[in-house]
Amino acid sequence: MLEIKNITKRYDDKTILNNISLNIEENDFVSILGPSGCGKTTLLKILLGIETSCEGELLLNKKNIIHTKPNERQFSIAFQNYALFPHLNAMENIRYGIKNQKQPIGEEELNNIIQMMDLKEHINKPISSLSGGQKQRVSLARALAIKPKVLLLDEPISALDGMVKEKVKNLIMASAKKLGITIVMVTHDPEEALTMGNKVLILNGGHIEQFDTPANIIKKPKSEFVEKFINNLLILKFNNIKEVLDAE
Ligand SMILES: Nc1ncnc2c1ncn2[C@@H]1O[C@H](COP(=O)(O)OP(=O)(O)O)[C@@H](O)[C@H]1O
Ligand SMILES: [Mg+2]
C-alpha cells in the first residue's frame, strides 16, 4: 500500500536517514522505534510531506507521491505536544482540517469519532481548560476526521502518564481496529512499540536494524543492537519486579 523506497535524508553533510526501504500494507499498525535522534520524526515528516527527502521515492498504491503536496496526500498526524489551535475550542479544532476536503466526512461519522475518543462532554470547551489526555484525544479526533489514508503518530502517548497513558493507548488501538486504518507511530519506548503495532521498525543511526513482527523482534533479534535495546530492557524491567517479590 505504502512503499518507502531508498529514502535518504541529509542535513548539511550529516546523513540522518540512509537508504530506508520498507513496505507498509493496508491496515498495518507500524511502530517506529529507536533511540532519541535516530531520525524517527524526520521519517514521519517525509511521509507527511512537510520535509523533503534527498533521495528516494514514496509509492502510495503504486503512485509516486514524493512530490505531492501534504494536503493532497491525505495523510494526517498527531504530535506528542498535541499542536492544537489554542484560540479554537475542541470541536473547532476537530473540524479544522475538514473544510478544505473534497469529500468531507459526514456528520454521523464525525460524531462516531467524537464518541470513540470519549469527547462528548468536552466538545465545546476551550483547549486551555483540557487536561493532557483530553487534548491528545482532540488531536487524534482531528487527525481521524479527515479520514486519512495513513495516520501518522509522533510519540502520541509519551507526554502522558499512568492511567491516562493507558486510556489513550487503548483508544488508539481500538479506533485502528474499528476504522480499519493504516497507522505509522513513532515511539522511543520498546514496550509501546511491541504492544501497539503488528509490525515494528527499529531504526538506529539512520539505518534499519530490523522490520518485523513484535514476536520475532523479541524471539529472533537480528542484531546485537536490537537484542540490547529491546530484550535487555524488558528483562531488566522484569528482573526489577522479580527482585521486589523475592525480597518478601
Ligand atoms: N531541520 C533540521 N536541521 C538540521 N538537523 C536536523 C533538523 N531536524 C532534525 N535534525 C537532526 O536530525 C537528527 C534526527 O532528528 P529526529 O528525526 O527529530 O530524531 P528522533 O525523532 O528520532 O528523535 C537529529 O540529530 C536532529 O538534530
Ligand atoms: Mg522525534
Side-chain angles (χ1 to χ4, degrees), residues 17-143:
L17 296 169
N18 193 2
N19 207 21
I20 301 289
S21 295
L22 67 138
N23 289 344
I24 295 170
E25 311 284 345
E26 193 115 37
N27 292 350
D28 263 353
F29 191 141
V30 177
S31 299
I32 302 179
L33 175 68
S36 186
C38 74
K40 304 183 294 295
T41 296
T42 304
L43 183 56
L44 270 203
K45 283 181 177 169
I46 291 170
L47 297 183
L48 188 65
I50 58 170
E51 185 61 90
T52 56
S53 66
C54 300
E55 285 148 41
E57 293 180 341
L58 281 180
L59 303 183
L60 180 67
N61 299 321
K62 312 263 182 240
K63 187 176 159 245
N64 192 0
I65 57 161
I66 198 81
H67 299 299
T68 306
K69 288 189 201 121
N71 60 333
E72 285 163 16
R73 291 187 191 189
Q74 212 183 327
F75 289 10
S76 62
I77 191 160
F79 295 100
Q80 175 178 4
N81 65 0
Y82 326 120
L84 296 168
F85 303 108
H87 59 289
L88 303 179
N89 71 21
M91 191 59 174
E92 289 161 347
N93 264 281
I94 295 168
R95 284 191 184 279
Y96 186 82
I98 304 172
K99 51 180 184 279
N100 299 323
Q101 286 208 287
K102 283 191 196 118
Q103 286 180 307
I105 191 170
E107 284 304 303
E108 197 182 330
E109 241 180 310
L110 184 62
N111 274 330
N112 282 341
I113 287 171
I114 289 164
Q115 207 142 22
M116 210 183 288
M117 286 298 141
D118 197 13
L119 283 169
K120 269 247 152 26
E121 59 182 301
H122 306 298
I123 207 69
N124 294 316
K125 292 184 184 169
I127 291 303
S128 58
S129 72
L130 301 180
S131 68
Q134 290 159 357
K135 282 181 188 159
Q136 191 55 292
R137 277 146 54 201
V138 173
S139 163
L140 287 164
R142 179 179 64 181

